[in-house]
Amino acid sequence: MIPPTVRHMGLSAAERVPGAAELGVHLYVIRELNQSVAMRSSMNPTDVPFSKLTAVLLDIGADRLIRTGQAPYPVPSASLSGGGPFALLARTDRLRAAEPLDRLEFSLHLPPPPYRNNPALVQVMMNSIHQLTLFGYYSEWYGYGSTRLPPAADRRLEGIPPGWIQTGYPGPAFGYRDLRGFVLKRSKGGG
């Protein structure tokens, strides 16, 4: 979703900026899906991690893309060890595999619970995966380095995240002077 890019720093200088896959943002997405307490308790009565259920959903989209001949480089079914069809698609095909899921162009009885016959949750999850990827890339998560996977109380910033550099964010501070509103003048008329 966020490929590596080249950032131009003048007329003759350029710097390569890593993409989401290189930064391991998928680990952030998996962690956030699995830590979703509300989903685990109310909508997912099983002990299967929510990220695994979501992977099955994405595999349904990938399988549909392959079966309809829309994947330019279909993956042979014999090579699916260690991952489902979605994991083995090219990056652009992965985005295209999510489209029929978002448009609900598949049989809603195919996914596992809690997605089964739950079109609203399928669409919310397709949107959430995009959002979580962006959050993981542009937030401080990568900057936590070796402490990024433990609980939040155990994390410490070990470096400057690439997303901060790209956006020009100066980093955490105890406060920035900023416009906090305007002084209001009250009229004596009681208004």
Side-chain angles (χ1 to χ4, degrees):
M1 185 168 169
I2 303 173
T5 58
V6 175
R7 182 174 71 153
H8 297 281
M9 303 163 49
L11 295 175
S12 61
E15 175 185 44
R16 186 180 181 286
V17 179
E22 293 172 88
L23 298 182
V25 173
H26 64 282
L27 298 173
Y28 173 82
V29 174
I30 290 168
R31 185 179 189 289
E32 291 302 310
L33 288 175
N34 291 340
Q35 297 300 317
S36 179
V37 178
M39 289 288 195
R40 270 202 140 179
S41 61
S42 65
M43 300 187 79
N44 181 10
T46 67
D47 287 334
V48 178
F50 210 66
S51 62
K52 298 277 187 200
L53 299 170
T54 304
V56 172
L57 181 66
L58 292 170
D59 284 342
I60 291 169
D63 184 55
R64 184 178 188 279
L65 194 71
I66 293 168
R67 279 187 300 103
T68 58
Q70 296 177 43
Y73 305 105
V75 179
S77 59
S79 67
L80 295 179
S81 63
F86 185 82
L88 297 173
L89 289 176
R91 182 178 26 243
T92 55
D93 289 340
R94 288 180 190 171
L95 289 172
R96 290 178 47 234
E99 290 173 8
L101 297 173
D102 192 38
R103 291 190 307 258
L104 302 175
E105 295 172 348
F106 67 100
S107 297
L108 285 168
H109 73 279
L110 292 175
Y115 295 115
R116 183 174 296 143
N117 298 320
N118 193 341
L121 181 60
V122 171
Q123 289 178 318
V124 165
M125 185 52 64
M126 291 301 99
N127 188 37
S128 296
I129 289 172
H130 292 292
Q131 289 178 359
L132 288 171
T133 302
L134 293 170
F135 292 159
Y137 187 81
Y138 288 106
S139 73
E140 71 279 1
W141 182 78
Y142 186 77
Y144 288 131
S146 64
T147 65
R148 65 182 170 212
L149 294 177
D154 299 331
R155 296 182 196 151
R156 65 184 181 285
L157 204 56
E158 295 179 350
I160 299 173
W164 287 7
I165 296 168
Q166 282 186 301
T167 59
Y169 178 64
F174 292 110
Y176 291 106
R177 293 194 178 272
D178 198 1
L179 177 64
R180 302 281 185 215
F182 297 95
V183 176
L184 298 176
K185 295 181 182 179
R186 292 186 180 239
S187 65
K188 292 187 177 191

